[in-house]
Amino acid sequence: MRAFRLAAPATPPQIETLPTPEPGPGEVRLRIAACGLNFADLLMIEGKYQERPPLPMTLGLELAGTVTALGPGVISPAIGTRVAVFAGQGGLAEEGCFPASRCLPLPDAMSFPEAAGFQIAYGTSHLALDHRARLQPGETLLVLGAAGGVGLTAVEIGKRMGARVIACARGAERLAVAAAAGADVLIDSGTTDLRAELKALGGVDVVYDPVGGDDFMAALRATRPEGRLLTIGFAGGSVPQIPANLLLVKNLTVIGLYWGGYAGFRPEVLTDSLATLLGWYAEGRLKPHVSHVMPLVQVADALALLRDRKATGKVVVSMM
């Protein structure tokens, strides 16, 4: 089988040929159909991600495929079941072995590309807005990086939760994607004084920020008293340094959200959130946006789309 492997930090990963793996106790083997790419993949290649698995390793945090073999002690999911897995690694390969407990059976209507990019993006936004920020109907939600993989799901979920959604993204094309996901107000981050625009709109109650940098600081100064600011990531490359006096005088709360961390200390929170999201999908209330599906041989080009911020929604690598 072929796999996209990282041998050492800050060295280019390569496609290698490996033996077909056999599942161990508690594992299943999957014929992988698709793998969703994430900004964390780029950080892992650069050796900058908060989790650093031993090298060499096969990249790819989340994937979807079909169960082809069961390891000792495994009863379900049965062979032939279509599943998605948040694995942390191993997704960019034609086959792989993963814990059966992490396999999420898919609705019949969900395609493999949709499923491969569903868990992290939708899970992050739902956990951030519902579990952490407690977004309420009628509140104003600002989403920075609103056309990206997680930002677009925040627009969609925020709207489903009854918020007024302000989407901030660069350029008319990306803003149109955010509008199609339900955004009420559109702001071009490349041409606008963000702080002034937000204040003219009356300020915001919740900020969802996967970008960091200057836009976070502008949003901070336009957040209403008792507002909540979610730090999701720093795709812009700059980690904001937050002046604590602003938090004090406006009674603001800055909330961190690392979705994958819940697998280690409160996995039931992830399970309940994903059950809710899959229910919404089955009801037709969520419509995943996959802008690019590319073959494994073009995985480097697919990663470049993320690095250069040229994609909208999810970028998925197909093994089929």
Side-chain angles (χ1 to χ4, degrees), residues 20-281:
T20 298
E22 293 298 326
E27 293 184 334
V28 300
R29 184 176 67 219
L30 301 184
R31 182 174 67 251
I32 298 172
C35 178
L37 298 185
N38 294 275
F39 190 74
D41 292 305
L42 298 174
L43 295 177
M44 199 169 288
I45 291 169
E46 296 169 0
K48 298 178 181 178
Y49 194 52
Q50 56 258 37
E51 294 185 9
R52 300 184 183 183
L55 301 177
M57 61 167 289
T58 298
L59 293 161
L61 280 73
E62 58 178 339
L63 59 120
T66 304
V67 177
T68 59
L70 307 181
V74 177
I75 299 174
S76 65
I79 291 175
T81 304
R82 300 166 68 249
V83 299
V85 181
F86 168 65
Q89 60 177 293
L92 286 168
E94 293 173 318
E95 297 185 83
C97 295
F98 308 98
S101 61
R102 290 202 175 189
C103 292
L104 185 69
L106 301 179
D108 291 340
M110 182 175 275
S111 69
F112 281 129
E114 286 180 326
F118 188 87
Q119 290 186 85
I120 293 176
Y122 278 101
T124 294
S125 293
H126 183 254
L127 215 60
L129 297 175
D130 182 65
H131 180 70
R132 297 290 281 148
R134 307 293 184 187
L135 179 68
Q136 299 299 307
E139 289 191 312
T140 296
L141 166 67
L142 168 67
V143 180
L144 302 175
V150 292
L152 195 61
T153 63
V155 170
E156 194 175 4
I157 290 172
K159 191 64 178 176
R160 298 297 175 271
M161 292 177 67
R164 174 193 184 215
V165 180
I166 302 172
C168 182
R170 187 177 297 271
E173 181 180 353
R174 299 175 72 80
L175 287 171
V177 172
D184 299 289
V185 181
L186 306 175
I187 298 178
D188 192 323
S189 62
T191 60
T192 306
D193 181 338
L194 180 59
R195 178 185 178 186
E197 286 280 338
L198 294 174
K199 282 186 171 292
L201 291 167
V204 300
D205 299 297
V206 175
V207 177
Y208 181 99
D209 179 24
V211 181
D214 293 341
D215 284 354
F216 177 91
M217 300 307 298
L220 173 65
R221 295 178 182 278
T223 302
R224 295 169 180 158
E226 294 194 330
R228 290 89 75 202
L229 297 98
L230 291 154
T231 59
I232 307 300
F234 312 105
S238 174
V239 179
Q241 303 303 302
I242 302 168
N245 63 307
L246 289 183
L247 307 184
L248 185 152
V249 298
K250 295 176 70 176
N251 292 289
L252 302 178
T253 303
V254 178
I255 304 170
L257 190 283
Y258 169 39
W259 181 82
Y262 277 87
F265 67 93
R266 289 193 66 188
E268 74 280 1
V269 174
L270 292 185
T271 301
D272 292 346
S273 173
L274 288 170
T276 296
L277 290 166
L278 286 175
W280 288 356
Y281 178 91

